[in-house]
Amino acid sequence: MRYLLMIFGEETDPSQVSPEEWGAVMAEWNGYTAMLRERGAYLAGEALQNSDTATTVKVRNAETLTTDGPFIESKEQFGGYYLVQARDLDEAIEFAAACPGARYGAMEVRPVMEFPAEEASATPSGEGASSA
Amino acid sequence: MVADLPTPLGAGATDVTALVERVFRDASGKAVATLIRLLGDFDRAEEAVQDAFLVALERWPVTGAPPNPAAWIVATARNRAIDQVRRARTLERKRQQLARDVPVEAGLDGSAAARRTEGPVMTSAVDDRLRLMFTCCHPALALDAQVALTLRTLGGLSTPEIARAFVVPEATLAQRLVRAKRKIRDAGIPYRVPEDHLLPGRLAGVLAVLYLIFNEGYSASSGERLVRAELCAEAIRLGRTLVELMPDEPEALGLVALMMLHDARREARVDATGDLVLLDDQDRGRWDRGLIAEGRTLLDRALRMRRPGPYQIQAAIAAVHAEATRPADTDWVQILALYDRLFALMPTPVVELNRAVAIAMVQGPAAALAVLDASTANGTLDRYHLLHAARADLLRRLGRSAEAADAYGRALELASTSPERAFLERRLADTDASAWRRRDEGAG
């Protein structure tokens, strides 16, 4: 099964972080990503820039409304994600717990909705590399 | 078993039905657990078992009950389920299905459900009831959903019975069950006993659910009857099954021992009018000595494993109480020592409170009051009615009636069950009532 691991947490101002601290933090994240790849679980993942770079877009009555900032104003913001292949929820939880984001903030684990593969245009889904 | 059922010709219809029901009910727990594994779905397993029951009602009076009712139920239910899905698939062949639809046979088409279960389809080294227990108590489910699902699928209770026991509308409880089963299916909660490195935490979760069920039955948090005996019985029954399936887990043994030792006092705990009777005032002749003996045996087995834990210690405390034929014979020194050990493992305000009560018995009420006031200075227990009741009792014993009356009043404000309120009202009335009146007059 595929799961999206969503990383939520308080945002840090990069200009306030020393190069050494930043290096240490990046090493943590890189180590985590490497672990996921080794387990055959890594499908995708990205870190997002801070929420002050966000733009919210809505279309109502054919009118496009654009506002500055994230959709939800809160202290904890969505900061990035990993898309993983896991045997079941227990394995997905294990991956979420191992993620540095779990210690700094919170991880939301949500199963991806799978649709039946359309003949030739089938996207890889369901057949996991991780053994049961 | 075959000889037990009367021949159909001479038997009254209701007798046979009742007998079939009983044999079926005793075996269906294990059958449901296996069918969930084979069919990959709680609802299908339930429906299939219901179908099998109708067949049993028809056939068993004729053929006699099978020697292995659980296996018969599994085989019959599975066949019914396969037939049903074949029919449904024929209908649905032209319709689009979501890829995550759970298949009929976990092993047949290599589905996600198959990969989620361990071991070959038809045989299993692990008792399916254990799988079911851990699945129902999975931490990804809300606690009230864990409780409801455990009672519904493993316990013998129906949805209306569970709703009544927890004083929630039946529709609410039904929804809770629907959502829980949906979450299990959609989020991919596996039907398995957790891996070794996860087991301690997950077992703690199972034990917590069983204890919650027991406590709800033993001292219901609201309502007219202080005790709901059927919940206590279910918790103990599930506990016995757990102990049977995990005989080397001392905390599981400890929990079941604890529940038995408490349940043994149930009859004496509430008097004829439904009022609460304190431990000191209980008619110990009404204690269930057989259940006490059973609890002690389990506790001894647990302690021999030399892996102490909170449930074992709480059971030991209950056992010390059970040993005393009269309240005056109670070994409070040993109880205090046990509470010291319990507090070291579980430094919660509630344990502190109970430890203070033991201190009162060993060192006197003044010492206990000092300990209580010091440890509750941060106010965490302020909304806990038993804290105020305990303080009131200590103050009363020290002759400080006005303060005792205040404390009983505060306890009354917070107490939520009728028998407990009745008890506190009596205590308040017994205390110097003029002290209460003077306070009221002064407050104007």
Side-chain angles (χ1 to χ4, degrees):
Chain A
M1 281 183 75
R2 291 190 296 163
Y3 293 87
L4 192 66
L5 273 42
M6 288 171 273
I7 304 159
F8 288 91
E10 282 187 47
E11 298 178 310
T12 45
D13 180 352
S15 67
Q16 300 296 316
V17 184
S18 73
E20 296 81 35
E21 279 172 325
W22 196 250
V25 168
M26 283 318 297
E28 265 198 292
W29 285 96
N30 290 334
Y32 175 67
T33 309
M35 181 277 288
L36 287 179
R37 287 190 191 277
E38 253 170 78
R39 293 275 291 263
Y42 180 91
L43 293 174
E46 299 291 357
L48 302 180
Q49 297 193 39
N50 278 355
S51 59
D52 55 8
T53 64
T55 309
T56 298
V57 177
K58 291 188 204 176
V59 175
R60 300 281 187 270
N61 298 319
E63 202 192 323
T64 300
L65 310 161
T66 311
T67 48
D68 176 34
F71 176 49
I72 298 172
E73 290 288 349
S74 96
K75 200 158 61 111
E76 263 109 6
Q77 283 292 334
F78 178 56
Y81 69 91
Y82 281 91
L83 182 66
V84 298
Q85 181 73 46
R87 180 190 65 223
D88 52 40
L89 184 62
D90 280 355
E91 197 178 38
I93 290 173
E94 190 198 327
F95 291 148
C99 181
R103 272 177 286 118
Y104 299 127
M107 307 286 298
E108 183 178 318
V109 177
R110 199 110 66 99
V112 168
M113 193 172 281
E114 307 286 5
F115 297 94
E118 303 289 336
E119 289 131 2
S121 65
T123 49
S125 77
E127 311 312 309
S130 45
S131 48
Chain B
M1 214 54 240
V2 176
D4 284 4
L5 286 180
T7 55
L9 296 174
T14 43
D15 290 340
V16 173
T17 303
L19 199 56
V20 170
E21 261 176 21
R22 190 163 53 75
V23 173
F24 196 93
R25 194 176 54 239
D26 288 345
S28 63
K30 194 169 191 317
V32 165
T34 299
L35 283 162
I36 291 175
R37 175 170 57 85
L38 294 178
L39 302 181
D41 184 289
F42 277 63
D43 287 329
R44 285 190 196 175
E46 199 174 312
E47 278 168 30
V49 167
Q50 278 165 13
D51 281 353
F53 179 61
L54 295 177
V55 176
L57 276 179
E58 233 181 281
R59 299 235 191 105
W60 290 5
V62 178
T63 64
N68 187 342
W72 182 94
I73 295 169
V74 170
T76 307
R78 220 180 112 245
N79 291 334
R80 298 304 254 214
I82 292 174
D83 287 344
Q84 272 209 337
V85 174
R86 281 206 188 114
R87 266 181 257 126
R89 279 194 169 160
T90 310
L91 280 167
E92 296 240 354
R93 197 163 290 148
K94 300 254 159 73
R95 295 172 51 186
Q96 261 199 342
Q97 292 180 57
L98 285 174
R100 59 185 166 82
D101 239 4
V102 180
V104 175
E105 278 281 333
L108 284 184
D109 57 3
S111 66
R115 283 195 298 283
R116 290 208 299 274
T117 62
E118 71 209 35
V121 169
M122 287 312 296
T123 64
S124 174
V126 172
D127 193 305
D128 286 313
R129 285 173 298 174
L130 204 54
R131 287 197 173 95
L132 185 52
M133 219 172 265
F134 279 101
T135 302
C136 289
C137 299
H138 197 283
L141 297 171
L143 188 56
D144 58 12
Q146 294 177 34
V147 168
L149 201 56
T150 299
L151 284 170
R152 185 71 186 82
T153 53
L154 278 159
L157 301 186
S158 66
T159 302
E161 283 171 337
I162 302 168
R164 261 203 311 278
F166 286 88
V167 197
V168 298
E170 196 181 317
T172 304
L173 198 91
Q175 255 313 300
R176 200 174 284 174
L177 289 166
V178 165
R179 268 187 265 117
K181 288 184 252 183
R182 197 157 56 209
K183 170 113 193 235
I184 290 173
R185 191 188 63 220
D186 293 348
I189 290 179
Y191 194 57
R192 59 170 300 174
V193 174
E195 286 172 356
D196 285 346
H197 67 283
L198 294 174
L199 199 57
R202 297 285 303 278
L203 178 61
V206 170
L207 297 180
V209 168
L210 294 187
Y211 198 32
L212 204 154
I213 294 170
F214 181 81
N215 276 318
E216 190 56 36
Y218 193 72
S219 52
S221 55
S222 66
E224 292 303 316
R225 267 178 56 79
L226 187 65
V227 169
R228 293 201 189 98
E230 66 269 26
L231 287 181
C232 296
E234 274 308 313
I236 290 176
R237 201 179 63 81
L238 292 169
R240 281 184 211 269
T241 301
L242 181 63
V243 158
E244 182 200 318
L245 301 175
M246 301 192 86
D248 299 321
E249 288 293 342
E251 277 292 88
L253 288 155
L255 173 64
V256 182
L258 174 61
M259 294 193 295
M260 286 178 177
L261 289 162
H262 277 316
D263 203 46
R265 308 203 295 247
R266 190 162 39 84
E267 292 300 311
R269 201 166 167 262
V270 177
D271 70 18
T273 55
D275 286 338
L276 181 65
V277 180
L278 282 188
L279 185 57
D280 272 5
D281 303 324
Q282 287 175 15
D283 175 5
R284 302 198 171 196
R286 299 187 67 200
W287 288 2
D288 185 337
R289 290 285 156 195
L291 204 49
I292 289 173
E294 213 186 328
R296 293 232 50 169
T297 305
L298 279 181
L299 177 59
D300 289 343
R301 248 175 71 193
L303 294 174
R304 275 199 295 274
M305 297 180 199
R306 302 206 174 290
R307 283 185 281 147
Y311 288 122
Q312 290 166 79
I313 299 175
Q314 289 173 86
I317 291 169
V320 173
H321 278 296
E323 266 164 20
T325 37
R326 299 171 308 152
D329 297 335
T330 307
D331 187 348
W332 283 104
V333 171
Q334 202 193 349
I335 289 179
L336 179 55
L338 287 166
Y339 269 116
D340 285 340
R341 292 186 62 196
L342 183 60
F343 187 69
L345 288 179
M346 240 172 68
T348 67
V350 172
V351 173
E352 264 195 297
L353 181 57
N354 289 324
R355 182 172 162 269
V357 170
I359 289 174
M361 298 309 292
V362 174
Q363 298 167 16
L369 194 59
V371 167
L372 258 189
D373 287 343
S375 67
T376 55
N378 59 4
T380 41
L381 276 187
D382 203 52
R383 293 206 62 75
Y384 188 43
H385 65 285
L386 290 179
L387 164 70
H388 298 285
R391 285 194 75 249
D393 192 62
L394 293 170
L395 289 162
R396 186 180 55 86
R397 280 150 74 177
L398 288 169
R400 289 155 64 174
S401 310
E403 292 169 271
D406 264 358
Y408 277 125
R410 185 92 183 98
L412 255 176
E413 283 169 28
L414 299 166
S416 52
T417 70
S418 296
E420 283 183 313
R421 296 180 60 82
F423 166 78
L424 289 168
E425 271 158 11
R426 279 202 314 280
R427 271 293 161 92
L428 181 54
D430 289 347
T431 310
D432 186 357
S434 60
W436 190 241
R437 249 180 286 131
R438 275 200 298 277
R439 178 181 170 280
D440 274 345
E441 284 158 11

